Amino acid sequence: MAPLPSSLVPFSLLFFALLPSILSLPDRYDVQTLAAIDQSPDSQRNDLDWEWQRTGFHFQPVKNWMNGPLFYKGVYHLFYQWNPYAAVWGNITWGHAVSTDLIHWKYVKELALVPDRWYDIKGVWSGSATIVNGKPILLYTGWTNSSTQVQNKAVPKNSSDPLLREWIKVDAENPFAVPPPGINTSDFRDPTTAWIGQDGLWRTAVGSKYRANDTGIILQYRSKDFAKWELLDESLHAVNGTGMWECPDFFPVAVHGQQGSENYLGEENAIQKFVIKVSLDETRFDTYVVGDYDPASEKFLPSFEALDIGTALRYDYGIYYASKSFYDPHKKRRVLLGWINEADKPTSDIRKGWASVQAIPRVVWLDENQHSLRQWPVPEINSLRKHPIRHTDLLLKQGEVFKVNGSQGSQLDIEVTFQIPKAHANDESDEFNFASSRVEGIPNNTLIYCNGSFPEAEQIIGPFGVHVLASEDLRERTSVFFKFLKFKGSWKTMVCNDLTSSSLASDATKGVYGGLVSLSSYKNRQALTMRILVDHSIVETFAQGGRTCITARSYPLLGSDNNAHIFVFNNGSLPVKATHLAVWKMDKIRYTTV
Ligand SMILES: *[C@@H]1O[C@H](CO)[C@@H](O)[C@H](O)[C@H]1NC(C)=O
Ligand SMILES: *[C@@H]1O[C@H](CO)[C@@H](O)[C@H](O)[C@H]1NC(C)=O
Ligand SMILES: *[C@@H]1O[C@H](CO)[C@@H](O)[C@H](O)[C@H]1NC(C)=O
Ligand SMILES: *[C@@H]1O[C@H](CO)[C@@H](O)[C@H](O)[C@H]1NC(C)=O
Ligand SMILES: *[C@@H]1O[C@H](CO)[C@@H](O)[C@H](O)[C@H]1NC(C)=O
Ligand SMILES: *[C@@H]1O[C@H](CO)[C@@H](O)[C@H](O)[C@H]1NC(C)=O
Ligand SMILES: *[C@@H]1O[C@H](CO)[C@@H](O)[C@H](O)[C@H]1NC(C)=O
Ligand SMILES: *[C@@H]1O[C@H](CO)[C@@H](O)[C@H](O)[C@H]1NC(C)=O
Ligand SMILES: *[C@@H]1O[C@H](CO)[C@@H](O)[C@H](O)[C@H]1NC(C)=O
Ligand SMILES: *[C@@H]1O[C@H](CO)[C@@H](O)[C@H](O)[C@H]1NC(C)=O
């Protein structure tokens, strides 16, 4: 149909209605029927430009890393890495969008930054925004005419303009930092939002890696005037064997409650902890660690060494990368913005004319366990909910699958609560071993718990959960589920997303994602909850109130729009009850330009 796009058209949202399924199937299936259906031959859609995969309520820049989000004069600003010329990486500029609710974005017609100086001519890469004396300043990485990564600064042309349309690079000061000795010229990028140290001077931090070995590090810089910056001897953090650290983030979290903070000084330390997050270039994971920060020595110490960067906690166990947080002074919260890549081939992206999407912004706060974070979609997203469907007390026997009537659609918000099955009534001690937290016994490959059989397990309960973006015949289904495993005498709870049957298309990566979910600090031990945001080709899962999150890409050929169904299922050996199920259709957002 359409020729290959020579330019990206991010504003045209087209949806194709699919042919109604010719198959009429019962409401309740058993596992044998499903297995038989799975044998049937593939059918391939090749007639469309795959525009039905375009998201309806996820902001869709093209493409790449997030840049400093910001709240200024009543407006949220989102800057994003964008190639104006193609749906592939290259010609990287800073696109700019504004919003008053973090959900309804408007594209700003002016690009914020484009490559036009010797110090950024090969690309204006990621960076961040800081309010300095009441006015925003951007710090960003430029790729120079000699292919070196350097740090630069830009200021608004008119800081009275709430839309901050135009930006000026400060030539006299740029670049303000070049790769120091011991650092490769290609391993020096992504300056953080700046903060003020105990000495009253500014700090910023840059992601890097030692040239001599595989140690990822965050370099720290200090400035009194935000113009001249000096490298500090001590790095903010470093971990052996983790490779290049991209998009570092460093922020305080309250020990109690959900309120955000931007105070990096000592006086609040008794009631706050600090988070360091980095994006690991080698694995493409956003990993983080919670710890204590001493503003006098400027040293960060992980609360648990076993949970340090790269070894344990991830923001998200699916596709979620290059995230950035910012303090939202309007709602006094810390908000996280992340980037969701495609999981199909670049040739498909070129054909679609777009690639990669912005995750729904998440509020972030410290879990009661004090060592991991919780994340939850900003409540503003709830304004898109309409036509709720509710069910209570659906009992799912072994191998049962229920279709949720009236829930067709590719734009949904789903909340489910399951009652945890009593593993074996005689075993008083069996409470799924709530004491086993992430701190000990973390398996280094959690995926083996999600898919297939796991012969080492002493006992398995589940999987039970929800199929979304499912065709009526269930040949296509994206499965989000819980599973309990007893292993070496202790129970693990997993939340998983199985994409192996998500699409009949052959070009999509169809993996299995999974993470452990901690029950130890969960008050209602009888209940397991999941919230799933479905938006055409995106499935974002928040398990146990946002204790474990999984973002996945699913490209169904059959199970889209009115032919996309929801099923609740139990493929385990013990009965499970879905005590509450709610499904909302989500409004489509029309993104306009301002
Ligand atoms: C970058 O832009 C130039 C035009 O300015 C174009 O010729 C080139 O193909 C673009 N490269 C990519 C990778 O998009
Ligand atoms: C890069 O630009 C600078 C400033 O114009 C110039 O001095 C330098 O020679 C250029 N380097 C290359 C490799 O072109
Ligand atoms: C700066 O922005 C303000 C607010 O939008 C506007 O009133 C003013 O005219 C602008 N100044 C210039 C020099 O463009
Ligand atoms: C340094 O960067 C160059 C690319 O600029 C790369 O080819 C080289 O392998 C890097 N060296 C190390 C030690 O990482
Ligand atoms: C990596 O190299 C740096 C700089 O040479 C050095 O300080 C550090 O100890 C090295 N780390 C390891 C694990 O060898
Ligand atoms: C990192 O490597 C250095 C140098 O080899 C070593 O002294 C240090 O113990 C290592 N740290 C960890 C946590 O393994
Ligand atoms: C869906 O509707 C059918 C009748 O149309 C009914 O038999 C079935 O129980 C309903 N399923 C659920 C889960 O409510
Ligand atoms: C986990 O790591 C340990 C030690 O590095 C290794 O012996 C073990 O085989 C790993 N297990 C899995 C499942 O990868
Ligand atoms: C489970 O999933 C992982 C990752 O997708 C894969 O490497 C592994 O082979 C799968 N195992 C089974 C038994 O399917
Ligand atoms: C249910 O479990 C069986 C046996 O482990 C497996 O073959 C089948 O694919 C599973 N079905 C679903 C829908 O997960």
Side-chain angles (χ1 to χ4, degrees), residues 316-554:
D316 192 294
Y317 292 81
I319 304 185
Y320 188 92
Y321 194 65
S323 61
K324 281 265 172 189
S325 76
F326 75 107
Y327 176 69
D328 172 4
H330 179 48
K331 298 259 171 94
K332 294 190 169 39
R333 59 189 175 177
R334 178 133 315 246
V335 177
L336 178 68
L337 296 158
W339 167 65
I340 310 174
N341 201 354
E342 300 296 317
D344 57 0
K345 296 216 174 83
T347 45
S348 304
D349 297 340
I350 290 167
R351 190 170 149 191
K352 287 184 297 195
W354 53 272
S356 84
V357 182
Q358 156 85 59
I360 295 301
R362 303 172 179 180
V363 184
V364 177
W365 71 99
L366 190 64
D367 188 67
E368 297 91 314
N369 69 17
Q370 308 281 294
H371 66 251
S372 64
L373 295 175
R374 290 178 61 182
Q375 304 164 61
W376 198 246
V378 292
E380 287 89 332
I381 189 78
N382 297 358
S383 68
L384 301 178
R385 288 171 162 183
K386 57 186 184 185
H387 310 314
I389 293 170
R390 291 174 199 277
H391 290 279
T392 51
D393 294 332
L394 293 170
L395 184 68
L396 300 158
K397 297 204 199 72
Q398 175 181 7
E400 274 188 332
V401 184
F402 277 104
K403 188 169 91 178
V404 179
N405 293 336
S407 66
Q408 291 97 317
S410 290
Q411 289 176 203
L412 303 171
D413 189 352
I414 305 162
E415 290 188 352
V416 200
T417 304
F418 292 100
Q419 195 172 59
I420 296 174
K422 193 100 184 92
H424 33 98
N426 300 336
D427 187 353
E428 291 274 305
S429 71
D430 177 32
E431 287 199 14
F432 299 106
N433 197 349
F434 295 104
S436 109
S437 71
R438 295 165 175 281
V439 180
E440 50 168 335
I442 295 165
N444 30 13
N445 180 5
T446 50
L447 290 182
I448 58 173
Y449 295 85
C450 279
N451 63 347
S453 58
F454 186 56
E456 296 91 335
E458 289 138 47
Q459 201 176 344
I460 297 179
I461 299 172
F464 54 89
V466 183
H467 300 305
V468 300
L469 294 172
S471 58
E472 181 138 42
D473 60 9
L474 278 165
R475 271 198 296 166
E476 286 187 332
R477 56 180 190 270
T478 296
S479 309
V480 184
F481 55 84
F482 289 111
K483 198 166 169 179
F484 302 95
L485 284 111
K486 196 174 186 181
F487 179 55
K488 291 186 178 157
S490 97
W491 285 95
K492 311 268 178 230
T493 308
M494 301 292 307
V495 58
C496 308
N497 186 332
D498 184 347
L499 295 153
T500 48
S501 298
S502 59
S503 174
L504 299 177
S506 55
D507 83 325
T509 304
K510 287 168 253 184
V512 178
Y513 300 121
L516 286 168
V517 58
S518 162
L519 299 188
S520 53
S521 56
Y522 205 59
K523 290 204 184 67
N524 181 359
R525 294 178 169 187
Q526 294 302 305
L528 276 173
T529 65
M530 54 168 74
R531 179 175 181 187
I532 310 171
L533 294 170
V534 177
D535 191 4
H536 296 267
S537 53
I538 291 188
V539 178
E540 275 179 276
T541 301
F542 301 84
Q544 292 295 73
R547 287 179 172 83
T548 302
C549 308
I550 303 176
T551 297
R553 300 308 300 269
S554 177

Side-chain angles (χ1 to χ4, degrees), residues 112 136 140 204 268 285 409 474 488:
Y140 72 96
T204 186
E268 278 188 63
F285 295 159
L474 278 165
K488 291 186 178 157

Side-chain angles (χ1 to χ4, degrees), residues 118-119 144-147:
W118 71 269
Y119 52 78
T144 70
N145 57 356
S146 60
S147 297

Side-chain angles (χ1 to χ4, degrees), residues 181-182 210-215 217 239-241:
Y210 286 121
R211 178 188 282 143
N213 50 52
D214 206 31
T215 301
I217 48 167
V239 179
N240 293 351

